[in-house]
Amino acid sequence: MLKEVKRNFVMYEINGFIYTLTIDNPPLNVLTDELLSEIDDVINEILAQPICRVLIIRGNGEKAFVAGADINQFPTLNEESGKHLVEKGKEIFDKLENAPFPVICAINGFALGGGLELALACDIRIAEQKAKLGLPETRLGILPGYGGTQRLSRLIGPGKAKKMMFTGAAISAEEAINYGLVEEVVPNGESYEASVRLAKQIVNNAPLSISNVKAVVNRGLDVSLAEGQELETKYFASLCLTQDMKEGVKAFMEKRKADFSRR
């Protein structure tokens, strides 16, 4: 570990090209307003550091990744303050979705409400066997407001997404992988280690290629197949001008590991 930066409820570590953001508000890592602000500050710091090639997000403790938003703030909400609350969360989570590097979520326990919405804003989700995932907002008379209604339905399909949101029931890690909600299920206590292993695989590849893959896939979800393929062609052609493309091809032909420079 080269560096560690600590806030009241959030910290991040730098280990080479891999960053880890840890949410530390035990026992449930509830997303209070202050904690959300700290996540925003940390994400902005990381985005300003071009060395980051993979970000891992995890929750501290054994019980929860993030068990939801701070319900104590709900009784005083009105239309205006409710709008401000969800727009703040959306803006923060959008930064993760649009980050120029992959974001991996290590789900070590409960991922409920805003916690699952945070996980949905990540590119890849790795869950432990004990994990429980759900959007219980309808039990509180509200709906998922940090992008959950949109990201979940796009990820697993509207039928399964509506079932989860209509019932408010949490599903198991096994159900989640069958739904396509998580990409991998690992033994309890191993979600972070599995995320690091995956991150190490990713950083071996060209960072500009990874960034462009993420952009093309994300943008392609909102356009037609033909338009998506046009985007693919555009991004492919732009990569042909990079030093990383030349280095990757040369390293392959010379049977050695490529030394990518993000240029």
Side-chain angles (χ1 to χ4, degrees):
M1 182 178 67
L2 300 179
K3 182 179 179 182
E4 178 179 299
V5 179
K6 184 77 168 69
R7 301 289 197 280
N8 289 330
F9 301 109
V10 176
M11 63 178 290
Y12 73 93
E13 305 166 13
I14 305 171
N15 195 337
F17 297 119
I18 301 171
Y19 283 52
T20 298
L21 187 160
T22 303
I23 298 169
D24 187 17
N25 187 25
L28 297 176
N29 295 321
V30 170
L31 293 176
T32 64
D33 185 67
E34 182 181 355
L35 195 155
L36 274 174
S37 295
E38 289 189 5
I39 291 176
D40 192 31
D41 289 341
V42 166
I43 292 172
N44 288 335
E45 284 187 27
I46 295 172
L47 288 171
Q49 301 178 39
I51 193 174
C52 180
R53 294 190 184 178
V54 179
L55 172 62
I56 300 170
I57 300 181
R58 64 176 176 173
N60 197 17
E62 298 181 358
K63 191 168 186 179
F65 164 62
V66 173
D70 181 12
I71 297 178
N72 291 324
Q73 63 191 325
F74 288 179
T76 60
L77 290 179
N78 55 35
E79 185 175 6
E80 182 178 352
S81 59
K83 180 180 179 181
H84 174 76
L85 174 72
V86 296
E87 286 186 342
K88 177 177 180 177
K90 289 182 199 295
E91 181 180 352
I92 296 168
F93 294 177
D94 284 351
K95 290 178 183 178
L96 293 174
E97 183 174 49
N98 297 319
F101 44 74
V103 183
I104 303 171
C105 182
I107 303 174
N108 61 315
F110 292 112
L112 304 174
L116 180 54
E117 291 178 291
L118 172 56
L120 288 168
C122 300
D123 299 294
I124 298 169
R125 288 153 291 279
I126 298 178
E128 296 180 10
Q129 291 172 336
K130 66 181 179 182
K132 297 290 184 182
L133 303 90
L135 294 174
E137 283 84 352
T138 54
R139 297 182 177 185
L140 301 174
I142 53 175
L143 55 75
Y146 291 160
T149 62
Q150 303 307 302
R151 289 194 175 99
L152 185 63
S153 57
R154 284 167 168 76
L155 183 64
I156 67 173
K160 291 185 178 68
K162 288 174 182 177
K163 179 182 176 183
M164 287 183 65
M165 290 183 280
F166 289 168
T167 65
I171 63 174
S172 67
E174 181 180 356
E175 290 174 294
I177 198 165
N178 289 334
Y179 275 21
L181 178 49
V182 302
E183 282 64 53
E184 186 177 352
V185 175
V186 297
N188 294 336
E190 296 185 14
S191 60
Y192 180 63
E193 290 73 14
S195 298
V196 171
R197 287 195 299 271
L198 178 58
K200 288 180 177 178
Q201 286 183 274
I202 292 171
V203 299
N204 284 329
N205 297 326
L208 288 177
S209 295
I210 299 295
S211 179
N212 279 262
V213 166
K214 176 172 177 175
V216 171
V217 171
N218 284 356
R219 291 183 62 185
L221 291 172
D222 296 323
V223 300
S224 69
L225 176 60
E227 291 171 311
Q229 293 199 85
E230 287 181 11
L231 284 171
E232 183 181 80
T233 298
K234 176 183 176 182
Y235 279 76
F236 180 93
S238 68
L239 288 171
C240 291
L241 300 173
T242 65
Q243 291 298 317
D244 277 357
M245 182 268 201
K246 294 178 175 62
E247 166 62 13
V249 172
K250 185 178 180 182
F252 178 82
M253 297 177 71
E254 295 175 354
K255 296 183 168 64
R256 62 173 174 82
K257 183 178 178 180
D259 182 19
F260 295 116
S261 59
R262 206 185 184 102
R263 297 197 305 270

